[in-house]
Amino acid sequence: MLYIKNAAQVATVSGGSQAPKIGIEMEKLNIIENGGVVMDAERIVFVGADEEAAEYVSQHGGEDVNVILAEGKTVTPGLIDPHTHVVFAGSREHELTLRLCGATYMEILQAGGGILNSTI
């Protein structure tokens, strides 16, 4: 079990469900001050106030609990790949063929391709 403890904020979409939130459901952002997140294997099993997270861990965690102290940090459980490349200056689809033929990313980069080829 993994317990992310005492986060300054936990930002997540409101409400729990067994399925990912989609469409308009994703607009219901919930900010939990002094929050905690608990994972069991690869699943998020609890998101909420840190006091409640600690209680969940004490009831379900047993002896094998890894704790990450997140004081002063914001945790965003369940939000997937939020990064973006703001400046886009070209396509790199030809690199897929190179990769399929066995070229490594570093070989493509050294030949003038890679991410630097499509940014300004």
Side-chain angles (χ1 to χ4, degrees):
M1 182 171 282
L2 174 66
Y3 173 21
I4 302 173
K5 178 183 175 99
N6 200 26
Q9 294 182 325
V10 176
T12 187
V13 290
S14 294
S17 71
Q18 294 299 314
K21 301 285 184 172
I22 59 172
I24 198 154
E25 295 175 325
M26 294 176 64
E27 293 181 11
K28 299 174 184 169
L29 189 64
N30 188 24
I31 305 293
I32 303 165
E33 303 291 334
N34 192 32
V37 178
V38 181
M39 293 182 63
D40 190 5
E42 294 182 6
R43 294 196 79 127
I44 298 169
V45 294
F46 181 90
V47 175
D50 194 61
E51 283 182 15
E52 295 171 13
E55 186 174 325
Y56 183 95
V57 169
S58 71
Q59 292 176 2
H60 300 94
E63 295 182 20
D64 190 24
V65 177
N66 294 317
V67 177
I68 296 175
L69 297 177
E71 295 164 343
K73 308 289 191 265
T74 298
V75 178
T76 57
L79 301 180
I80 308 300
D81 196 13
H83 88 282
T84 186
H85 295 265
V86 179
V87 180
F88 178 76
S91 176
R92 296 171 41 205
E93 70 260 5
H94 66 282
E95 293 178 14
L96 178 59
T97 303
L98 297 172
R99 291 297 301 251
L100 292 172
C101 291
T104 67
Y105 180 80
M106 291 306 294
E107 290 170 339
I108 294 169
L109 183 66
Q110 290 168 348
I115 191 71
L116 299 178
N117 191 41
S118 61
T119 61
I120 296 176

